[in-house]
Amino acid sequence: MTLTTQQLASYARDGFLTGLPAFAPDQVAQIRNQIEALERDHPQVNDQPISQYFRVNGQLVISLLAELARTPAILDAVEQILGRNLLVWSVELFIKEPGTHSVVSWHQDITYWGMGETDEELTAWVALSDVSVQAGCMRFIPGSHKGSIVDHDDTFDENNLLSRGQEIAGVDEAKAVHGALQPGQMSFHHGRCFHASGPNMSDDRRIGLAIRYVTPEVRQAEMGRDYAMLVRGKDDAQGWINVAGASGLFTAADLALYNEVLTHQSATLAAGAMGNVDLYAGGSA
Ligand SMILES: O=C(O)CCC(=O)C(=O)O
């Protein structure tokens, strides 16, 4: 899969790109089945609901998520934007059940990730179900990535899928562009692009796989060296602690590393919050 010159220009101008092919319909149906089998067969792991592992650093404990982050079609396109050396910082699933009130407020991803204002992070968000406008697809504000990180207010709204319900006030929603996706399609968004999504009013689950890609040059300003999985090229810079990704399904060694990583990241991800940022209870950074 190759991005056209026009698509590259569009990403540079808008800070997002939608409707890119990632998986064929039969592949995406199989991936969805595998995810739903995990939910059925492993509702709790180490006293945590499986949603915890789905929502932060899933690549460390679920080999399927590590493999998906290595999908050549996704990497080929990401490489055209970020360059030939790529690492994965986190793989997450954003699931909204049909007819529920779960939403994602307007935010910029990298606000609390300790990576400064880097241009070298992007999310590939893959639709594992029909992610229509009705199902609560993402909306983006074109060009918002060109500014700095702006203030976010913590709302701790229980229907908000973000860990602290962080929200940018005063976004001009009239400028928002919907990123509806068919199953197997993906969108890319820049770490400073304002984005949000509404509730799922469809009659199916809305399932999105978010893969956070970074380059070796991205530096953790806050927490010293952070952990990332090399998926393409090489990491000569060694600014990240390179981890291999899950060796199976919830192995003891992988679970120990998962806890080590999340403990290491928690202080940064929760910095400045006035309430409890519950990274262990299904919240996402
Ligand atoms: O799934 C959503 O609606 C939001 C996802 C999101 O905020 C992200 O991937 O950065």
Side-chain angles (χ1 to χ4, degrees), residues 94 96 104 107 109 123 125 138 189 195 197 206 210 212:
F94 283 84
K96 293 180 187 168
V104 172
H107 69 287
D109 285 339
T123 293
W125 196 101
M138 275 193 284
H189 63 266
H195 58 289
S197 66
R206 192 214 75 153
R212 320 293 188 184

Side-chain angles (χ1 to χ4, degrees), residues 55 92-96 103-105 107-109 113 121 123-125 131 136-140 161-162 189-190 193 195-198 206-212 284-285:
R55 301 302 308 281
E92 303 162 19
L93 286 159
F94 283 84
I95 301 177
K96 293 180 187 168
V103 295
V104 172
S105 49
H107 69 287
Q108 293 167 298
D109 285 339
W113 292 358
E121 185 278 340
T123 293
W125 196 101
V131 180
C137 69
M138 275 193 284
R139 288 173 292 151
F140 307 94
L161 293 180
L162 302 181
H189 63 266
H190 184 289
C193 178
H195 58 289
S197 66
R206 192 214 75 153
I207 308 176
L209 169 75
I211 310 170
R212 320 293 188 184
S284 166

